[in-house]
């Protein structure tokens, strides 16, 4: 523990402050810091320097240079400033550099000096110029507040969603306020300003004068004010060298301090830790740094060089030409362990572990002491916590080793805290590395979250490190590795000097099929950079066609989009593209496109069938699809047309189409239908009744049923109804009429082409056994048995069957024999069978 | 009589979860429109809806009145109208007319359209074109799987068949993929996948994509269903075209089973009103006879009746206590059984009356002759006679298709004018869908046509036979039939009481092609050795296997097989596979776009006057 506390400075009785070096800077500054506009982002963020030529009334013949460095002084970007005079620089929460120009324009640059966008703080500023500007952070994002030449304030609480608020006028304000700051309270941004001995609070409704409680008398002017990182506290520095510290609401005084230095300080910032009771303010003059708090004495440091203070969540960073240091209150756990002669359990455990390593029995004594007090758990926790607050890996290690040692003597100590601390420290040490230059403390890291840290690494294009961290922490791929790879790919497509093929290949090699990577997003980015070909190449890797299509449409590659949509099998997607194409192309081209895509074509046809019949016809016409065209007109003939003339005309068109399609069969049939329609019309006129839309068969039947036999026969001849069919038709119709006389006449008109069995069947269906028997006798020999069975003459059937010596017929008859009545017949058959077998 | 499953056959998963899921989602959707509302239901959705949520559930969720979506102005006076429809353009126009009428009358109401199973962009387009897109809110009710029975899931999408196989419209394939995805998330991944047919392949690939997009969810889950087999209907039209002779199929052919239930008319119930009966495994009597060849059913039922009588008769010798027991415990079950028994006996009688006449025997004989490929001339003249008699256009069409496929010739007869002009379109549809086949595609067709038509106009109808014999070339069906041994060679009578193979579902004359393919592939665990068959089916590019190289998961799950019929399956096929399952110790689960039969197939292809 030799002199470990050497850099600890007590402030009052209860707190120590220590300052240690983060980096030695070799950024080789050409300018003095005091000649520059400086902006350093919180959470170990980057530093921007702009030599300010406008402050000195020199002619701006030499264009100034805007340099951006990492916190460790590694150059990130350097660009010649070509715009107007800059009043103030600041970093947004997304680590974008906001440069507020004198004319009220705010230029936004990325970390690498890439210009992002710009916006204006209002027209009023154009004439009055901007006197001063502040960039501040709220829970909504980053805000900008400006003070114009007319001594009016304008602010925007979130530059991402720009809404300008012009603050009310401060009555009687003739000159610029001696100091001012933006405050954020209850989600509303205010301006606090000091004019002479008076303080005013501006919200967007009113300007009110405020007085800090317990302010020492004799103040004629406020020289400096500082708001804490969380906007909870406020410090005021007066021209009497007096510092007032209180809450930002100005309702309560915390403490005061008189430093007796009347020179205006260069910077004043709060230095406090979250959840600590200690409040302290760091005040910097040209060569002096003072930490003041609720104590009669202050801590004083000498500044060898021009320095700049960056307030952080849990301390203050101080950088100069050669060094970068961190000043903070020593955290409780560290204090407990390292305080001289501390008997805290953590301190004892650390000691025990050291003795153990020396193989000394003292280890046991220390351990026993802790255990007797029952504080071993607490000791381990203390060591773990303290490790988090140490900057040097060596010290982190010894503390963790002590914790690990202590853990061995505990039955049930949940391992999470230890494991997580090890992981967190490993990540922290990695990003604190000189080359990365993000000097985060443990508290800042926890506040920032790992996701944001990863974002920041991505922003610095430190993809490999980000991926390693993801893999090390085993983050889910979608949140971790995939997301970073996707960012990498989006960066990659912007490299204009690499050919499309190479970029696409490189991206695919790295990304492969990593889940959660959207190639279409990357392609969209490529398209955004004007690289359409690359975008198309990248889309090839996109496995989900649904994602490819919208971008392809946007890039006006509709035909490609169509084939992709078809590949996807998602008909809705196909339809979307179709409608797009329909509007984009002229009709002819549209149809031609469809022609090569049968799937899309049938989909569109289906739609047209219901919604745009005319288009359907055009489609068939275009394809010379006469067959379908014919079908289309046939459908029209009974679905769309009402009048006979219209229907016949439609049929005629259909017939023509069928001829063109060389489908004579269909054409003839259609012509027949036309003739039939005309005829039916005539029949209706002459005979009355309903004929239209009956089939030919039904027409003839209706005629017979109506007793118009002549006409029926004429019709049958005209339409060449085959004889067989006509006979069946007539037979059925006459039987339905029960016109047995006519039926008999008909049966004798000539030899029946269908034989006489049907006559028997039909008569039996009408239950006319008498008539049936008449015909049964005329049935030809091969069907005789069947006929006889039908009329129920089993005995005779048996005789015939025996005569025929037909085994099948015999069994048929036998199956019809019912035991009681046909016993004799059955015997007869059996006998005949037996005889047949003998032979 | 009903054969028990082998003891090692796996248990079926519980599909009632699907119903609960659908119901909960529907209720959620209804509650999105708080307050009283009238519900307009599309006719096709009524029966499925009835199986999911009855009227009282709807009423609980503030559905006031129920209307059927039909082309009539709505009389509803409610301030909120909710439409439950299939995503069809026709429906959109109906809704649009309603909304626009309201607009004209200066009336403002709330309209909500719930699409089931999903909405299509085309529908929204129509709403937009009709200018009411902003007036209605659209939702999807992803109800795509209705468990009709313990082993039968239906998507209730009969239009799938026409839309895909005739119109080439692929929009339902995504719905199928979604349904498969749902099944795999609920019941674990399917380690082995097989399929045949273009649509099967597309559906499979889409489903795989879905799985990949959401991977991780099913990973590591123990598979419940070991195999999945996807099959396009057009791989096997023949089986679907045949008359069914197992009881369930026969009931479907005769009375039309709709959404798992059938309306038995007065001639069955032997009372003056008809009765709606749910046909599934819960009906004990039905469950025992559903897969039986019809010739056994009557005998079984009478045996059952005797048993029942005997059970009733037992009470004769009972003392008071026993009687009390009997009344309280058994009587109800017996009565229930009694009721069912009399219903099925009634149904049987009715079927017998219709079917056991000479006609039906002849019909079956002809079908078998066609399947076996002998006596073509006789069969052809039978069909001609059938046409001449104008019995039923649907039947005639069916026989022509059967003839055409089995003989691979175009069985066109000039019957169109005789049935009506729209049938000219029907023919063109049948041909496009491949139900009427051509010997060779393209130009020869017209040659054949003109030949046939000339013959017909020459009034030499009898010569059609000769025309066909001149075309007679070894058809694919013949070759497939031979390769797969679809026509069992039987010595003597085929004993339908103790079936030996799946052919029993067609009286021992024919093993359903679809089922045989499934059997063969499952036996081989791949398409290996079936190349020739696949080629003959014209599916060389669309037969696939996908096995995950998992270690032999428990044999239990591997014996559970999901068969997906794209375009519908028949009860005969279901019976045949159930039989196969009992023989081999598998359990089959059926997923079909709809239960179909020959008549439905033909009707789907028919053009009817609107």
């Amino acid at each position: 523990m030799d002199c470990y506390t050497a850099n600890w400075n007590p402030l009052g009785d209860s707190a120590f402050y220590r300052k240690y070096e983060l980096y030695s800077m070799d950024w080789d500054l050409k300018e003095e810091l005091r000649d520059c506009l400086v902006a350093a982002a919180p959470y170990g963020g980057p530093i921007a320097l702009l030599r300010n030529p406008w402050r000195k009334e020199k002619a701006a013949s030499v264009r100034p240079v805007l340099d951006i460095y990492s916190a460790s002084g590694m150059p990130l970007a350097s660009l010649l400033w070509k715009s107007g005079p800059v009043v103030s620089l600041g970093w947004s929460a997304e680590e974008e550099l906001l440069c507020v120009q004198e004319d009220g324009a705010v230029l936004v640059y990325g970390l690498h000096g890439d210009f992002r966008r710009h916006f204006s703080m209002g027209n009023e500023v154009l004439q009055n110029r901007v006197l001063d500007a502040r960039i501040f952070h709220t829970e909504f994002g980053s805000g900008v507040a400006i003070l114009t030449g007319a001594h009016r304030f304008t602010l925007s609480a979130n530059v991402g969603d720009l809404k300008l608020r012009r603050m009310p006028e401060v009555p009687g304000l003739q000159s610029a306020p001696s100091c001012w700051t933006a405050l954020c309270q209850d989600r509303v941004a205010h301006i606090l300003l000091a004019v002479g001995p008076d303080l005013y609070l501006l919200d967007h409704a009113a300007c009110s004068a405020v007085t800090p409680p317990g302010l020492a008398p004799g103040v004629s002017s406020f020289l400096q004010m500082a708001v804490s990182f969380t906007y909870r506290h406020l410090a005021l520095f007066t021209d009497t060298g007096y510092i007032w510290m209180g809450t930002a609401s100005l309702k309560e005084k915390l403490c005061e301090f008189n430093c007796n230095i009347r020179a205006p300080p260069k910077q004043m910032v709060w230095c406090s830790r979250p959840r600590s009771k200690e409040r302290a303010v760091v005040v910097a003059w040209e060569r002096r740094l003072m930490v003041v708090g609720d104590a009669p004495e202050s801590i004083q440091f000498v500044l060898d060089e021009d320095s700049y203070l960056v307030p952080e969540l849990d301390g203050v960073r101080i950088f100069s030409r050669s060094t970068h240091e961190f000043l903070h209150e020593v955290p409780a756990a560290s204090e407990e362990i390292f305080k001289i002669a501390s008997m805290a359990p953590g301190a004892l455990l650390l000691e025990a572990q050291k003795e153990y390593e020396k193989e000394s029995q003292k280890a046991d004594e220390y351990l026993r002491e802790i255990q007797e007090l029952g504080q071993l758990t607490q000791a381990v926790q203390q060591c773990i916590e303290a490790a988090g607050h140490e900057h040097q890996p060596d010290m982190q290690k010894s503390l963790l080793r002590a914790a690990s040692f202590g853990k061995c003597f505990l039955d049930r100590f949940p391992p999470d805290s230890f494991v997580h601390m090890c992981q967190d420290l490993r990540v922290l040490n990695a990003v604190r590395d000189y080359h990365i230059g993000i000097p985060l403390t443990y508290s800042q890291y926890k506040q920032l979250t790992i996701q944001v840290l990863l974002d920041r690494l991505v922003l610095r294009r430190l993809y490999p490190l980000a991926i390693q961290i993801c893999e090390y922490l085993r983050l889910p791929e979608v949140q971790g590795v995939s997301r970073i790879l996707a960012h990498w790919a989006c960066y990659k497509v912007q490299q204009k000097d690499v050919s499309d093929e190479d970029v696409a290949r490189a991206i695919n090699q790295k990304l492969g099929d990593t889940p959660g990577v959207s190639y279409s997003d990357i392609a969209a980015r490529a398209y955004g950079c004007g690289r359409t070909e690359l975008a198309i190449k990248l889309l090839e890797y996109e496995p989900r066609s649904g994602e490819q299509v919208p971008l392809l449409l946007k890039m006006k590659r509709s035909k490609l989009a169509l084939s992709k949509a078809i590949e996807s099998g998602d008909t809705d997607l196909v339809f979307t593209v179709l409608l797009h194409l329909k509007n984009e192309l002229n009709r002819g081209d549209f149809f031609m496109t469809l022609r090569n895509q049968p799937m899309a074509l049938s989909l569109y046809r289906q739609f047209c069938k219901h919604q745009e019949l005319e288009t359907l016809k055009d489609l068939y016409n275009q394809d010379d699809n006469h067959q379908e065209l014919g079908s289309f007109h046939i459908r029209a003939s009974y679905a769309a047309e009402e009048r006979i003339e219209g229907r016949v005309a439609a049929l005629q068109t259909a017939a023509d189409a069928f001829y063109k399609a060389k489908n004579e069969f269909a054409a003839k049939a259609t012509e027949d239908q036309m003739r039939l329609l005309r005829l039916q019309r005539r029949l209706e006129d002459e005979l009355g009744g309903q004929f239209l839309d009956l089939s030919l068969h039904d027409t003839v039947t209706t005629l017979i049923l109506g007793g118009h036999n002549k006409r029926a026969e004429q019709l049958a001849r005209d339409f060449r109804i085959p004889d067989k069919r006509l006979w069946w038709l007539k037979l059925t119709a006459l039987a339905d009429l029960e016109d047995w006389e006519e039926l008999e006449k008909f049966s004798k008109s000539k030899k029946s082409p269908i034989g006489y069995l049907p006559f028997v069947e039909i008569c039996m269906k009408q239950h006319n056994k008498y008539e049936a028997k008449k015909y049964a006798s005329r049935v030809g020999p091969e069907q005789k048995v069947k006929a006889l069975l039908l009329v129920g003459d089993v005995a005779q059937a048996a005789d015939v069957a025996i005569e025929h010596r037909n085994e099948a017929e015999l069994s048929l008859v036998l199956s019809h024999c019912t035991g009681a009545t046909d016993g004799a017949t059955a015997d007869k058959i059996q006998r005949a069978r037996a005889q047949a077998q003998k032979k | 009589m009903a054969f028990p499953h082998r003891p090692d056959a796996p248990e079926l998963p519980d599909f009632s979860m699907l119903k609960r899921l659908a119901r909960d989602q529907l209720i959620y959707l209804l509650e999105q429109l708080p307050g009283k509302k009238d519900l307009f239901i599309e006719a096709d959705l009524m029966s499925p809806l009835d199986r999911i949520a009855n009227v009282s559930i709807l009423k609980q969720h503030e559905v006031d009145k129920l209307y059927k979506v039909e082309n009539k102005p709505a009389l509803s006076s409610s301030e909120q109208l909710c439409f439950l429809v299939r995503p069809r353009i026709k429906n959109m126009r109906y809704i649009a007319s309603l909304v626009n009428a309201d607009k004209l009358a200066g009336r403002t109401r709330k309209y909500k359209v719930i699409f089931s199973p999903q909405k299509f962009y085309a529908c929204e387009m129509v709403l937009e074109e009709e200018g009411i897109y902003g007036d209605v809110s659209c939702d999807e009710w992803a109800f795509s799987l209705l468990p009709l029975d313990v082993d039968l899931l239906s998507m209730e999408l009969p239009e799938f068949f026409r839309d895909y196989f005739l119109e080439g419209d692929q929009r339902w394939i995504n719905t199928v993929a979604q349904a498969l995805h749902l099944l795999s998330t609920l019941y674990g991944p399917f380690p082995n996948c097989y399929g045949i047919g273009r649509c099967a392949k597309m559906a499979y690939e889409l489903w795989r994509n879905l799985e990949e997009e959401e991977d991780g969810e099913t990973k590591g889950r123990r598979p419940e269903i070991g195999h999945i087999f996807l099959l396009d209907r057009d791989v096997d039209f023949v089986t679907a075209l045949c008359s069914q002779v197992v009881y369930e199929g026969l009931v479907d052919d005769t009375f039309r089973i709709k959404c798992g239930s059938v309306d038995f008319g007065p001639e069955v119930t032997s009372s003056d009103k008809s009765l709606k009966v749910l046909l599934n495994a819960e009906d004990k009597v039905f469950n025992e006879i559903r897969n039986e060849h019809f010739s056994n059913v009557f005998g079984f039922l009478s045996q059952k009746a005797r048993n029942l009588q005997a059970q009733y008769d037992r009470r004769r010798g009972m003392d008071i206590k026993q009687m009390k027991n009997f009344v309280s415990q058994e009587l109800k079950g017996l009565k229930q059984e009694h009721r069912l028994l009399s219903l099925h006996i009634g149904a049987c009688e009715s079927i017998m009356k219709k079917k056991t006449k000479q006609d039906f025997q002849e019909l079956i004989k002809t079908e078998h002759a066609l399947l076996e490929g002998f006596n073509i001339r006789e069969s052809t003249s039978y069909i001609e006679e059938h046409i001449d008699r104008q019995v039923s256009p649907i039947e005639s069409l069916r026989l022509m298709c059967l003839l055409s496929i089995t003989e691979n010739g175009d069985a066109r007869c000039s019957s169109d004018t005789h049935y009506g002009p729209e049938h000219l379109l029907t023919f063109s549809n049948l041909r496009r869908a491949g139900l009427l086949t051509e010997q060779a595609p393209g130009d020869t067709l017209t040659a054949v046509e003109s030949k046939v038509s000339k013959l017909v106009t020459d009034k030499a109808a009898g010569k059609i036979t000769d025309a066909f014999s001149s075309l007679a070339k070894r058809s694919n069906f013949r070759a497939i039939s031979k390769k797969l041994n679809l026509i069992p060679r039987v010595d003597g009578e085929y004993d339908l009481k103790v079936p030996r193979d799946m052919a029993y579902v067609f009286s021992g004359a024919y093993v359903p092609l679809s089922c045989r393919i499934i059997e063969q592939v499952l036996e081989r665990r791949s398409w290996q050795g079936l190349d020739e068959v696949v080629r003959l089916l014209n599916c060389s590019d669309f037969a696939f296997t996908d096995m995950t190289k998992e270690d032999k998961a428990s044999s239990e799950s591997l014996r559970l097989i999901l068969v997906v019929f794209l375009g519908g399956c028949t009860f005969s096929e279901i019976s045949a596979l159930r039989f196969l399952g009992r023989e081999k110790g598998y359990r089959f689960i059926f997923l079909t776009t709809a239960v179909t039969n020959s008549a439905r197939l033909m009707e789907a292809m028919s053009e009817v006057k609107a």
Side-chain angles (χ1 to χ4, degrees), chain A residues 568 572 609-611 695 697, chain B residues 93 121 167 206 390 418:
Chain A
S568 78
D572 272 7
K609 236 172 231 176
H610 291 104
Q611 199 67 0
S695 69
H697 192 274
Chain B
R93 289 232 289 267
Y121 183 61
E167 315 276 6
L206 277 179
Q390 301 265 308
H418 305 272

Side-chain angles (χ1 to χ4, degrees), chain A residues 1-10 16-19 330-331 333-342 390 395:
Chain A
M1 208 76 330
D2 321 313
C3 292
Y4 186 74
T5 52
N7 63 346
W8 289 23
N9 302 289
F16 292 92
Y17 284 78
R18 72 174 165 190
K19 183 163 74 108
V330 176
S334 309
E335 189 183 325
E336 293 268 290
I337 292 176
F338 295 115
K339 204 159 72 178
I340 293 165
S342 167
E390 286 309 310
M395 188 47 75

Side-chain angles (χ1 to χ4, degrees), chain B residues 141-377:
Chain B
W141 182 32
F143 165 50
S144 55
L145 286 171
L146 174 66
L148 288 181
D149 210 334
V150 284
D151 60 352
L152 175 59
L153 307 173
S154 168
M155 297 182 67
E156 292 297 313
L157 283 176
E159 63 250 62
F160 183 99
F161 181 66
R162 185 177 166 119
D163 279 352
Y164 178 74
F165 291 103
L166 177 62
E167 315 276 6
D169 184 340
Q170 303 176 354
R171 59 195 172 154
W172 295 116
I173 299 177
N174 209 9
T175 319
V176 174
Q178 300 274 9
L180 289 177
H181 183 56
L182 176 66
L183 279 183
S184 72
T185 34
L186 289 179
Y187 302 101
F190 315 131
N192 305 302
C193 305
Y194 321 92
I196 184 161
R198 180 191 286 266
C199 180
K201 194 163 184 198
M202 277 195 281
Y204 173 75
E205 278 165 4
L206 277 179
W207 166 55
R208 276 277 153 219
N209 286 348
L210 281 177
E211 300 272 291
E212 270 162 33
E213 265 172 50
E214 279 178 47
D215 64 352
E217 273 181 36
T218 54
K219 258 182 210 160
R221 273 194 65 174
R222 215 175 64 86
E224 266 189 73
I225 297 167
H227 304 260
I228 171 172
F229 196 110
L230 295 107
L231 184 115
D232 277 15
R233 184 72 268 173
D234 67 352
V235 167
D236 174 20
F237 277 139
V238 173
T239 306
L241 285 172
C242 292
S243 299
Q244 307 193 65
V245 284
V246 286
Y247 184 65
E248 195 168 10
L250 205 48
V251 170
D252 190 28
D253 274 0
T254 320
F255 303 103
R256 298 232 164 180
I257 299 176
K258 200 173 151 199
C259 207
S261 67
V262 66
D263 273 317
F264 280 139
E267 77 277 12
V268 175
T269 53
S270 52
S271 62
D272 46 357
K273 52 178 191 280
S274 44
L275 195 64
K276 195 170 174 182
V277 184
L278 220 52
L279 294 180
N280 57 29
E282 273 166 37
D283 179 339
K284 291 280 178 311
V285 178
F286 177 70
N287 197 32
E288 286 187 73
I289 55 173
R290 65 197 304 182
N291 300 318
E292 288 298 318
H293 188 274
F294 187 65
S295 60
N296 301 336
V297 171
F298 219 73
F300 172 82
L301 287 178
S302 52
Q303 179 61 42
K304 188 96 191 163
R306 276 197 293 279
N307 289 350
L308 201 60
Q309 189 58 47
Q311 274 177 295
Y312 272 122
D313 288 348
R314 271 195 330 178
R315 73 203 142 131
R316 295 250 168 83
M318 285 179 183
D319 57 29
I320 298 277
K321 199 170 170 201
Q322 283 170 323
M323 183 66 92
K324 196 176 153 197
N325 247 342
F326 176 80
V327 172
S328 65
Q329 285 165 17
E330 287 172 57
L331 194 59
K332 204 175 157 211
L334 287 178
K335 272 196 166 157
Q336 167 79 359
E337 209 167 319
H338 181 109
R339 195 182 64 83
L340 292 169
L341 199 56
S342 64
L343 260 178
H344 287 293
I345 290 176
C348 272
E349 270 175 353
S350 177
I351 292 172
M352 295 267 252
K353 236 180 250 163
K354 282 181 193 153
K355 298 280 181 181
T356 50
K357 286 207 185 122
Q358 201 78 9
D359 305 0
F360 191 60
Q361 302 280 347
E362 291 277 320
L363 183 72
I364 297 282
K365 220 173 95 190
T366 310
E367 280 181 22
H368 291 174
L370 287 174
L371 291 169
E372 287 169 45
F374 68 87
N375 279 347
I376 296 303
R377 191 178 291 251

Side-chain angles (χ1 to χ4, degrees), chain A residues 466-606:
Chain A
I467 287 174
Q468 273 168 8
I469 290 177
C470 291
E471 281 167 354
Y472 173 66
L473 294 179
R474 299 211 185 104
L475 294 181
E477 280 201 325
V478 178
Q479 292 171 34
V481 176
S482 309
R483 198 166 61 103
I484 289 154
L485 281 174
H487 277 294
W488 167 78
C490 287
Y491 167 62
K492 188 83 186 164
V493 298
Q494 294 168 23
Q495 296 180 342
K496 301 225 168 167
D497 49 333
V498 188
S499 76
D500 290 346
E501 280 80 18
D502 292 346
V503 174
R505 200 176 319 116
I507 288 176
N508 183 241
Q509 260 169 18
K510 273 263 161 44
L511 271 63
D513 292 329
T514 320
V517 169
S518 161
Y519 276 98
S520 57
D521 285 353
I522 303 166
R525 180 66 69 95
Y527 176 63
C529 303
R531 300 181 74 166
T532 312
E533 287 308 315
L534 176 59
I536 291 171
K537 283 205 172 62
L538 286 170
L539 277 181
E540 289 295 322
Y541 299 116
E542 172 66 58
R544 292 158 301 165
S545 315
E547 300 289 314
Q548 302 174 326
V549 172
L551 186 62
L552 284 171
L553 283 181
K554 209 165 124 194
M555 298 193 297
K556 303 227 182 312
R557 302 292 163 121
S558 318
K559 285 180 192 172
L560 190 57
L562 184 60
S563 35
K564 290 285 169 202
I566 290 169
E567 253 172 53
S568 78
D570 181 346
T571 47
D572 272 7
L573 207 55
V574 178
F575 210 81
T576 320
V577 183
L578 276 181
L579 290 182
H580 196 94
L581 278 172
K582 191 178 157 196
N583 295 331
E584 190 184 276
L585 303 173
N586 65 38
R587 216 170 163 83
D589 291 347
F590 176 55
F591 286 174
M592 281 306 284
T593 313
L594 281 182
R595 204 164 160 182
N596 301 324
Q597 299 285 4
M599 187 261 189
L601 181 60
S602 39
L603 195 71
Y604 191 62
R605 271 194 200 144
Q606 280 282 77

